[in-house]
Amino acid sequence: AQSVTQLGSHVSVSEGALVLLRCNYSSSVPPYLFWYVQYPNQGLQLLLKYTTGATLVKGINGFEAEFKKSETSFHLTKPSAHMSDAAEYFCAVTYTGGFKTIFGAGTRLFVKA
Amino acid sequence: DSGVTQTPKHLITATGQRVTLRCSPRSGDLSVYWYQQSLDQGLQFLIQYYNGEERAKGNILERFSAQQFPDLHSELNLSSLELGDSALYFCASSVGQGAGGNTIYFGEGSWLTVV
């Protein structure tokens, strides 16, 4: 079955520290991979996505993610956390020819001053 | 602003009642998606329409139904409401028929509270 797993429902980092949010997917066909962010009382918005080409994808607000096929992973990173990064982050996947986007359970990022 | 408009933003209703949530997709988007977000279930895909036709179905209860109209707006009907239906319901839209590599644009959601 196709699925998306986000390791860690909550991640806490200090301001200025590295942010690493983990995402693994299961797939027997090439995936399209996304990271969305949800700020309090708002809808989800796209951070970045991988469709084809370069496996290191850069997104908004200094975030980037790397598609690693051998590890079936698409981890999200940011070198230096900012207080404004506190939000919930969702990894999502769709598949070639598929109509459905599958979202992970989400990871809530806390940033400490 | 994603361009996806949802109404109402907040709704409180009693068990057993029926409500309708409305969504206008981004200009030019033909696909509309409905998601339910709750604390215990996370973000659950309910259903997708493309240009008026149902395209994909997720964990949508039989008490729930949706449709997409010729002007591309969509409605999600929730009936015989139960306390457990209390959640944030998102509408989203994308260009194109399949989700594929298309970005999905989310509205701000409709908060439903069943009392």
Side-chain angles (χ1 to χ4, degrees):
Chain A
Q2 297 163 343
S3 65
V4 178
T5 303
Q6 291 184 239
L7 293 177
S9 59
H10 297 84
V11 170
S12 182
V13 300
S14 297
E15 194 172 22
L18 171 71
V19 175
L20 171 60
L21 304 182
R22 299 177 187 272
C23 173
N24 289 88
Y25 65 92
S26 66
S27 172
S28 58
V29 297
Y32 300 104
L33 297 158
F34 305 79
W35 275 99
Y36 285 84
V37 61
Q38 184 180 24
Y39 297 104
N41 301 315
Q42 294 186 27
L44 282 71
Q45 57 183 278
L46 182 72
L47 264 182
L48 49 81
K49 66 179 178 181
Y50 167 80
T51 53
T52 59
T55 57
L56 182 63
V57 180
K58 294 186 185 300
I60 62 172
N61 300 337
F63 284 93
E64 62 182 37
E66 186 172 11
F67 169 53
K68 292 187 176 180
K69 185 178 178 181
S70 61
E71 299 177 8
T72 60
S73 68
F74 192 57
H75 302 331
L76 181 70
T77 61
K78 181 174 180 178
S80 177
H82 192 272
M83 296 296 287
S84 61
D85 295 327
E88 187 150 22
Y89 293 79
F90 292 89
C91 182
V93 60
T94 60
Y95 299 96
T96 306
F99 295 115
K100 197 161 60 172
T101 298
I102 301 170
F103 283 82
T107 297
R108 185 165 294 278
L109 176 66
F110 296 92
V111 182
K112 300 175 291 186
Chain B
D1 182 6
S2 66
V4 179
T5 303
Q6 291 187 247
T7 57
K9 291 194 186 307
H10 299 272
L11 190 57
I12 301 174
T13 190
T15 54
Q17 294 298 304
R18 172 190 170 95
V19 299
T20 297
L21 308 181
R22 194 179 190 278
C23 169
S24 294
R26 285 190 334 147
S27 177
D29 284 357
L30 298 179
S31 280
V32 169
Y33 310 77
W34 286 98
Y35 289 85
Q36 179 194 58
Q37 186 178 38
S38 61
L39 282 175
D40 55 343
Q41 297 284 335
L43 190 65
Q44 297 284 319
F45 167 72
L46 296 179
I47 198 164
Q48 179 206 351
Y49 282 84
Y50 173 78
N51 204 20
E53 294 188 7
E54 184 182 307
R55 266 293 174 262
K57 215 165 186 176
N59 303 319
I60 188 166
L61 300 173
E62 286 191 8
R63 300 184 285 108
F64 296 179
S65 65
Q67 55 183 328
Q68 186 181 27
F69 295 88
D71 67 354
L72 301 178
H73 91 272
S74 178
E75 293 181 355
L76 178 67
N77 300 297
L78 315 173
S79 61
S80 303
L81 285 167
E82 302 175 0
L83 295 178
D85 297 326
S86 296
L88 182 56
Y89 291 85
F90 284 113
C91 174
S93 71
S94 71
V95 67
Q97 179 173 186
N102 294 323
T103 298
I104 296 178
Y105 295 89
F106 283 77
E108 294 193 350
S110 292
W111 277 102
L112 173 65
T113 302
V114 182
V115 298

